[in-house]
Amino acid sequence: MSLRDRARYRFDRTLARSAGSLMGWLVVSCLAVVVPVSALLVWTDPGAPPSLSGRLTAVWRSSAETLRLGAVDGTPLRMLLAALLGLVALLCVSTLVGVITTGLAERLAELSRGRSTVLEQGHAVVLGWSDQVFTVVAELVAAQVPHRPRAVVLLADVDKTEMERALAAHVGPSGRTRLICRSGPASDPGVLALVSPRTARTVLVLPSGEPTADAEVLRTLLALRAVLGEDAEGPPVLAAVRDDQYRAAARLAAGPRGTVLETDTVTARLIAQCVRRPGLSLVLRDLLDFAGDEFHLADADAFHERPFGAALLGHAGACVVGLLTPQGRTLLNPPADTVIAPGSRLIILARDEEAARPDDCRHLVERPVIATAPPHPEDAAHVLLLGWNRRAPLVVDQLRRTARPGSVLDVVTDRSGPASTREPEPWPEPEPSGASRLSVRFQSAALSRPETLLGFDLTPYDGTVVLGPDPGDGPDRPDDRTLVTLLALRLVEERTGRQLRVVTELTDDRNRPLAPLDPGSDVIVSGELTGLLMAQIAQNRHLAAVFDELFSADGSTICLRPAGHYVCPGSVTTFATVVAAARDRGECAIGYRRHDRRAAPPDHGVRLNPHKAERREWSTDDQVIVVATDTPTPPTPPTPGPPIPNPTREDAPPAHHHERASD
């Protein structure tokens, strides 16, 4: 290669490095022309200063005034040189302005792509983009101070401008919380470092709607581990996966401070529980959002070395549901005689930590109206399941675990559904009573045709579950088939005059108003449920064990039971009386549902954490919301205990002894 080609290659390589290199070459080129020509003009001027310093000064002045064409006079050669100098300077200046403009435009474009480093402390980092992100961000913004993060930083492989527009449309004004978006793959450690996860208060990893979502969550957790280091304590990490086969690996990748939720299992558990407890989804929706009362951890100094049952009537504005032992073990609805050890904390349902001040409410209990009759055991149920998807086997398994002996589940799948749908099976004869807790029977039918359901006899069924297909299994959106099935069920109700108990699963919360269901029906949106759970656990990771037990088939769960199990129907009494009656049955009462407001939005009669002194008339159709085991227990005689400290007395603990749940 010739010397000219080599020089051109080196020159092009230098220019390709950055805009600064181009600016440097322009300055050098400009000086290489301007300075020699200015010197030539000075030395050819008869009136030039005789000294060298004077001539150099004249050269400087001439170089500085190169744009002043026509300022130099004399011979034609001098004027030609001055014109040449001005044109060269004009070319260099215009090129320099263009380079500066291009560099600024590239920098602004880089900022708009979301590739700058975030310098924040105590912020919440959300990794991934899905429909759940709007619920998570909205709940983090709505969290009560001091739980609300100062900044929520989102990182996803989505255009930054699109993320900001979507958040503004779905979340709305964020108040004092700053929403910061960064664009790039969260599974890349170099990109992940931009959001400063080491200084974050918490990190949330969301699964996308793609088939490879769980694998991408696992890669993101490994990238987060690479950024934080093996021995770094780091912030608490909360991730969600859909398939159980990724849960163990995700827990290993998340580390000792990580929590992994299995969204399909949680959704299936809630669907199965709503079949037997109508209205449960409304209770959980109110319980999980930050708009009202939610779970907190409160100080238990006033109840040390005392039984747990004494704490149930020890707060006027909070409902106690469990204990957090000094060893970090969560006890939900423990036996009333469980001794509260020093260092334990109470798990309460309240609006904020201020409501956890001890207040003796035993004087509000009216013993004569407490019901003493044993509760009536639940009968075997006959349930109809319409549709099939990847969560359907989990729903069947949950129904099998919680069913009463002799229960029957009829599953009707769509014969035009996806290949993953279970093959149709003949209707077997039901097993003898007591031989199995749940007899499952399968049938194939065209659920996409409304006339199919119109030919079904739905009279024997105690509850109906409607599941839509998985996304991508058909040309339509999953909720479209669900809405068609619900329309057919509504027509059956109109023809028969019998109201059906329907539990529906939707994938998009915007379709909830479109569902032809009675007000107050159970509608489960899996993405919204996962987002609410992640937002709650992000504020306090100790609540993960609480929600895990509440959604499980074993242990204590949230139940809606007739008010007649606790107080005499028609009696007018306080909520403290209901709490005492529930305590006698080994349960923790946290609210009630009014029958006369079941169809009245927005609460549909659900009232969580009422004041212990609230008095009302309890009808036969009212329900009490309790944290209890699945099987009702008969009442036990109350055991007297020592008095509960009252903060109005002189021996009350000072307010600053109450520790915040975020500590």
Side-chain angles (χ1 to χ4, degrees), residues 182-378:
R182 291 294 180 264
S183 181
S187 57
D188 186 349
V191 177
L192 185 57
L194 297 177
V195 297
S196 301
R198 190 182 300 274
T199 60
R201 177 184 176 183
T202 183
V203 179
L204 298 91
V205 184
L206 305 181
S208 64
E210 302 297 328
T212 59
D214 290 346
E216 188 64 23
V217 169
L218 185 60
R219 289 173 56 87
T220 301
L221 291 174
L222 293 175
L224 186 62
R225 189 173 185 176
V227 172
L228 298 177
E230 293 289 341
D231 300 330
E233 182 177 346
V237 179
L238 178 60
V241 296
R242 298 186 308 183
D243 199 333
D244 181 60
Q245 65 178 348
Y246 286 93
R247 186 175 186 179
R251 282 182 173 177
L252 292 176
R257 292 176 59 83
T259 303
V260 179
L261 299 178
E262 189 182 347
T263 59
D264 283 357
T265 301
V266 172
T267 304
R269 289 173 177 175
L270 179 56
I271 292 174
Q273 291 178 5
C274 288
V275 172
R276 300 173 49 246
R277 305 164 192 162
L280 179 61
S281 65
L282 302 174
V283 176
L284 290 176
R285 185 184 179 91
D286 190 6
L287 183 64
L288 293 177
D289 63 28
F290 285 102
D293 297 89
E294 59 269 353
F295 288 127
H296 298 279
L297 293 180
D299 194 34
D301 290 344
F303 305 96
H304 285 171
E305 303 298 340
R306 303 185 59 203
F308 173 75
L312 295 179
L313 289 171
H315 301 82
C319 293
V320 180
V321 297
L323 289 174
L324 179 65
T325 65
Q327 296 77 24
R329 182 186 176 191
T330 300
L331 301 177
L332 195 62
N333 185 34
D337 57 355
T338 301
V339 178
I340 302 178
S344 300
R345 305 183 72 182
L346 297 176
I347 304 174
I348 64 170
L349 177 64
R351 181 169 295 274
D352 50 41
E353 288 86 355
E354 295 297 328
R357 291 176 296 181
D359 189 1
D360 192 352
C361 299
R362 289 182 297 173
H363 64 282
L364 300 175
V365 178
E366 300 172 353
R367 284 285 171 185
V369 299
I370 294 181
T372 58
H376 186 274
E378 296 185 17

Side-chain angles (χ1 to χ4, degrees), residues 272 275-277 378-384 399 402-410 436-441 460-464 501:
V275 172
R276 300 173 49 246
R277 305 164 192 162
E378 296 185 17
D379 298 328
H382 197 176
V383 182
L384 175 64
L399 291 174
T402 59
R404 294 292 179 263
S407 299
V408 178
L409 172 64
D410 292 334
S436 175
R437 301 184 66 179
L438 180 68
S439 176
V440 184
R441 309 183 299 185
Y461 296 105
D462 302 304
T464 303
R501 288 170 44 184

Side-chain angles (χ1 to χ4, degrees), residues 290-541:
F290 285 102
D293 297 89
E294 59 269 353
F295 288 127
H296 298 279
L297 293 180
D299 194 34
D301 290 344
F303 305 96
H304 285 171
E305 303 298 340
R306 303 185 59 203
F308 173 75
L312 295 179
L313 289 171
H315 301 82
C319 293
V320 180
V321 297
L323 289 174
L324 179 65
T325 65
Q327 296 77 24
R329 182 186 176 191
T330 300
L331 301 177
L332 195 62
N333 185 34
D337 57 355
T338 301
V339 178
I340 302 178
S344 300
R345 305 183 72 182
L346 297 176
I347 304 174
I348 64 170
L349 177 64
R351 181 169 295 274
D352 50 41
E353 288 86 355
E354 295 297 328
R357 291 176 296 181
D359 189 1
D360 192 352
C361 299
R362 289 182 297 173
H363 64 282
L364 300 175
V365 178
E366 300 172 353
R367 284 285 171 185
V369 299
I370 294 181
T372 58
H376 186 274
E378 296 185 17
D379 298 328
H382 197 176
V383 182
L384 175 64
L385 174 61
L386 301 176
W388 196 266
N389 54 29
R390 68 173 187 270
R391 289 170 296 279
L394 300 175
V395 174
V396 174
D397 181 66
Q398 292 296 320
L399 291 174
R400 193 188 304 272
R401 292 185 179 186
T402 59
R404 294 292 179 263
S407 299
V408 178
L409 172 64
D410 292 334
V411 180
V412 181
T413 61
D414 197 338
R415 64 176 56 151
S416 60
S420 61
T421 301
R422 183 189 292 265
E423 293 297 329
E425 301 179 7
W427 290 85
E429 293 295 330
E431 301 179 8
S433 177
S436 175
R437 301 184 66 179
L438 180 68
S439 176
V440 184
R441 309 183 299 185
F442 293 90
Q443 183 185 19
S444 177
L447 295 178
S448 58
R449 300 174 63 88
E451 54 269 21
T452 302
L453 288 178
L454 296 179
F456 275 49
D457 182 14
L458 303 181
T459 305
Y461 296 105
D462 302 304
T464 303
V465 180
V466 180
L467 302 179
D470 292 319
D473 284 343
D476 302 328
R477 288 173 293 186
D479 290 348
D480 292 346
R481 296 190 182 182
T482 304
L483 294 177
V484 171
T485 303
L486 294 177
L487 282 172
L489 292 177
R490 171 52 64 90
L491 185 57
V492 171
E493 288 181 333
E494 294 177 354
R495 289 188 175 182
T496 59
R498 179 176 180 267
Q499 185 177 359
L500 303 176
R501 288 170 44 184
V502 181
V503 181
T504 308
E505 179 196 22
L506 296 176
T507 60
D508 192 344
D509 187 58
R510 291 173 296 183
N511 293 327
R512 186 193 299 266
L514 306 180
L517 293 169
D518 294 327
S521 298
D522 290 291
V523 179
I524 291 93
V525 182
S526 56
E528 180 193 37
L529 174 65
T530 304
L532 291 174
L533 273 175
M534 296 188 73
Q536 287 283 343
I537 299 175
Q539 303 304 321
N540 193 335
R541 61 190 183 95

Side-chain angles (χ1 to χ4, degrees), residues 13 23 41 50 93 98 125 129 159 200 238 248 279 330 350 362 413 415 504 550 564 614 621 640 647 659 663:
R13 188 176 61 183
M23 293 174 60
L41 286 174
V93 170
V125 176
W129 188 263
D159 183 73
L238 178 60
T330 300
R362 289 182 297 173
T413 61
R415 64 176 56 151
T504 308
L550 287 179
E614 178 181 321
D621 297 324
E659 197 173 356
D663 294 338

Side-chain angles (χ1 to χ4, degrees), residues 547-594:
F547 290 116
D548 184 64
E549 183 172 351
L550 287 179
F551 284 98
S552 66
D554 305 321
S556 297
T557 60
I558 296 180
C559 304
L560 288 86
R561 291 177 174 167
H565 288 184
Y566 306 92
V567 294
C568 299
S571 61
V572 178
T573 186
T574 61
F575 183 69
T577 305
V578 178
V579 173
R583 181 186 61 179
D584 297 343
R585 298 176 183 271
E587 304 169 354
C588 299
I590 61 174
Y592 60 85
R593 187 183 187 189
R594 294 177 52 178

